[in-house]
Amino acid sequence: MTTPTHLNHNLFVALRAAFPADLDATAIETETGLLYSWRDLDRATAMLANLLGSLEIPAGSRVAVHVEKSVEALLLYLATLRAGFVYLPLNTAYQQAELDYFIGNAEPAVVVCAGRNFPWISKLAFGKGVAHVFTLNEDRTGTLLDRAAHFPETHVPAVKSADDLAAILYTSGTTGRSKGAMLSHGNLLSNAQVLKDFWDWQPGDVLIHALPIFHVHGLFVASHGALLNGSKMLWLSKFDPRAVVERLPRATVFMGVPTLYVRLLQEPGLTREACAHMRLFISGSAPLLIETFRDWQERTGHTILERYGMSETAMLTSNPCRPADGERLGGTVGPALPGVGVRVVDDAFAPLPAGEIGHVQVRGPNVFSGYWRMPEKTAEEFTADGWFKTGDVGSFNAQGWLTIVGRSKDLIITGGYNVYPAEIEGYLNDLPGVAESAVVGVPHPDFGEAVIAVIVPKPGATPDADALVAALKSQIANYKVPKRAFIVAELPRNAMGKVQKNLLRDGHQGLFSDDGKGIPQAS
């Protein structure tokens, strides 16, 4: 006996129901000209779901995926939902020490990795009790697809409640190791449905998908948006500004992080004529400089829509899409989305009036239930009345538009990626000759912020700053590696002994400026 569709809250069921009537229409077109129809998506996800189901792994098992972006990787995500398991995307930049932690913490039943990484990832996974390791490459090869080819092309989606876990996204913490944010089928579907209406998705919309698919922006916001609207995606495995500009006349929607907009503005082909067919440009994952906002308006005639979200919550606020809902204000992330609560409070959690800066707290059907296997940390991050403490600091204007002014946690956002200093400091402090370190973010014209490290050597040691940076490159993702490191005798501290990172940031503000003023010398 099958469960009626309306009683099954599996996110895949809702996405599949939105496929267009013509299943032979193109759903995804790659940069190489490869075409995937909606029927291909249905059949391929069925075969992959059947493969996963054949492994006889328990309900709720995690499927950890560390592969390059490809359509097949997206199909694996959808198949994991379809089969009723939990998807665990891992940034392809993660190195061995990071994967060792994630696999140990999440205890996935299945790991999928690139073929070139199979020797070391499989050894790591099998050593931690993972039963199944498959390979998936960006050229549509690998053992995952080889095995799936033998399974049926039909599959009845697993029955899930709205509260059942759909995905775990690891987000770095300011202290200790990364935390796994648990997102349910209901969290993700509610957010996708709200955005479909609020961003006014139209019949015939076409999305340029140029984002990675290991985080919220590319995997959920972009992919769910197109799928839930039955919209075609023009798929780029990696961001290429020229390739994006070439596709603008055939598209209507583009989503990017601020760094992508900066790079697009460097393309001579980006003109009003090229953007004439476009309906919506969306920016998120990091603050958009007001200069970029204005340059884009002047160059293209379009006003970028800025929005705000987190791994733990998906999207929370958004500048208006429809003119009737108000204008898009540069430097703000708009009002709370329908059904989402956002408040700005003081240290005692008392709401603050418009114009006053305080802690941003949120609640709603999109907000996660907690961190994987961290009940105490989860309890810390929610207020007694159920609001999630984002760790962001901001203020509302008179009309209720939110502006994020910084982080109460030491987050660095570089090129749209989140970097938490405590994690980098932990690796640095383990290196030979290092007594202690402090990692901060400073302004960078391309990445928004750049990671730098200030290091105090052990007595008698003379570590080389460049050598320390080079040592980190084999341990952590490249975007986390400091772009510059400096050796100092001591770190600035306050009366309580706490490192005054504000002084370090201030002292290195001009490090990456065009004129080079204020660049300190490494000793």
Side-chain angles (χ1 to χ4, degrees):
M1 178 178 167
T2 60
T3 300
T5 299
H6 70 279
L7 295 180
N8 188 354
H9 295 278
N10 188 324
L11 172 60
F12 177 82
V13 172
L15 297 176
R16 175 62 184 85
F19 284 15
D22 181 9
L23 291 179
D24 293 316
T26 299
I28 303 176
E29 175 187 325
T30 71
E31 64 261 71
T32 62
L34 199 60
L35 303 179
Y36 294 76
S37 69
W38 295 94
R39 192 181 307 278
D40 291 334
L41 268 56
D42 188 32
R43 288 156 63 175
T45 56
M47 296 166 79
L48 287 164
N50 282 320
L51 166 59
L52 293 173
S54 76
L55 303 178
E56 298 183 353
I57 55 180
S61 291
R62 277 74 61 205
V63 177
V65 180
H66 183 262
V67 300
E68 297 297 335
K69 180 181 178 181
S70 67
V71 176
E72 284 67 32
L74 178 66
L75 297 176
L76 174 58
Y77 161 61
L78 296 174
T80 302
L81 296 176
R82 186 170 187 161
F85 300 118
V86 179
Y87 192 73
L88 175 59
L90 295 171
N91 188 331
T92 48
Y94 286 150
Q95 299 296 317
Q96 187 157 346
E98 294 156 312
L99 258 66
D100 182 74
Y101 169 72
F102 295 130
I103 292 173
N105 184 249
E107 295 186 293
V110 179
V111 170
V112 183
C113 65
R116 65 180 178 276
N117 294 326
F118 181 80
W120 67 270
I121 290 182
S122 63
K123 182 179 179 181
L124 187 67
F126 291 140
K128 291 187 175 296
V130 176
H132 308 279
V133 181
F134 297 99
T135 59
L136 175 61
N137 303 311
E138 55 265 55
D139 62 356
R140 302 202 297 165
T141 62
T143 58
L144 182 79
L145 300 182
D146 291 343
R147 286 280 300 277
H150 300 288
F151 284 86
E153 296 180 353
T154 59
H155 176 271
V156 177
V159 177
K160 289 290 165 181
S161 74
D163 293 332
D164 281 336
L165 196 53
I168 297 175
L169 269 69
Y170 276 93
T171 177
S172 296
T174 54
T175 57
R177 289 293 197 173
S178 299
K179 309 182 297 293
M182 300 186 291
L183 295 163
S184 69
H185 288 264
N187 291 150
L188 297 175
L189 179 57
S190 69
N191 207 234
Q193 290 172 329
V194 165
L195 293 176
K196 181 178 186 292
D197 177 63
F198 197 80
W199 288 346
D200 203 24
W201 279 86
Q202 300 288 319
D205 267 338
V206 175
L207 171 73
I208 297 177
H209 197 306
L211 291 163
I213 55 171
F214 51 70
H215 63 27
V216 165
H217 198 168
L219 184 62
F220 299 152
V221 183
S223 301
H224 291 171
L227 292 168
L228 197 60
N229 196 56
S231 284
K232 179 180 178 179
M233 286 187 260
L234 302 179
W235 187 269
L236 298 176
S237 57
K238 288 183 171 61
F239 173 71
D240 176 342
R242 186 169 299 177
V244 170
V245 170
E246 288 173 353
R247 284 158 178 75
L248 290 174
R250 296 197 293 126
T252 61
V253 180
F254 175 80
M255 301 185 192
V257 301
T259 300
L260 305 194
Y261 286 99
V262 171
R263 293 181 179 173
L264 283 167
L265 283 165
Q266 296 167 359
E267 282 296 313
L270 182 73
T271 62
R272 290 189 176 227
E273 291 73 26
C275 298
H277 190 243
M278 289 294 294
R279 181 178 70 80
L280 185 60
F281 291 96
I282 298 170
S283 179
S285 298
L288 183 75
L289 293 176
I290 194 67
E291 291 85 354
T292 307
F293 179 85
R294 290 170 181 160
D295 288 349
W296 192 269
Q297 273 184 321
E298 184 177 342
R299 182 84 165 271
T300 69
H302 286 268
T303 301
I304 295 172
L305 181 152
E306 295 173 76
R307 87 300 178 280
Y308 164 58
M310 304 179 69
S311 297
E312 292 94 336
T313 65
M315 296 304 98
L316 295 159
T317 74
S318 171
N319 267 267
C321 179
R322 302 177 184 90
D325 293 334
E327 65 175 323
R328 299 171 199 164
L329 302 178
T332 82
V333 290
L337 287 166
V340 177
V342 179
R343 69 184 185 185
V344 175
V345 300
D346 62 18
D347 290 343
F349 299 164
L352 292 171
E356 291 200 26
I357 294 172
H359 304 285
V360 179
Q361 299 180 348
V362 300
R363 68 179 179 186
N366 53 309
V367 176
F368 77 138
S369 59
Y371 294 111
W372 174 255
R373 293 179 174 168
M374 289 186 175
E376 292 179 1
K377 185 62 179 173
T378 298
E380 286 176 20
E381 297 300 322
F382 283 86
T383 66
D385 55 348
W387 291 74
F388 174 59
K389 306 170 190 175
T390 66
D392 286 312
V393 177
S395 65
F396 284 114
N397 66 11
Q399 66 193 94
W401 266 230
L402 182 67
T403 295
I404 302 295
V405 299
R407 297 283 297 181
S408 56
K409 303 168 183 175
D410 273 334
L411 176 66
I412 301 167
I413 302 179
T414 179
Y417 295 134
N418 292 351
V419 176
Y420 285 85
E423 182 185 17
I424 316 307
E425 290 160 2
Y427 286 107
L428 272 172
N429 295 346
D430 285 339
L431 294 176
V434 175
E436 63 176 335
S437 62
V439 171
V440 297
V442 297
H444 190 285
D446 193 16
F447 298 105
E449 286 185 292
V451 180
I452 68 165
V454 182
I455 297 159
V456 176
K458 290 180 178 176
T462 56
D464 177 80
D466 292 339
L468 293 174
V469 170
L472 285 183
K473 290 184 177 179
S474 64
Q475 293 185 287
I476 57 176
N478 192 54
Y479 67 86
K480 298 180 184 178
V481 175
K483 298 206 178 303
R484 291 284 298 276
F486 304 93
I487 307 297
V488 299
E490 60 182 8
L491 298 173
R493 298 180 185 274
N494 64 16
M496 299 299 292
K498 185 175 181 181
V499 175
Q500 294 179 291
K501 289 192 171 182
N502 59 312
L503 298 182
L504 294 176
R505 282 188 286 265
D506 292 345
H508 294 78
Q509 283 292 303
L511 185 59
F512 298 99
S513 64
D514 293 335
D515 61 12
K517 291 178 182 176
I519 294 182
Q521 297 299 312
S523 58

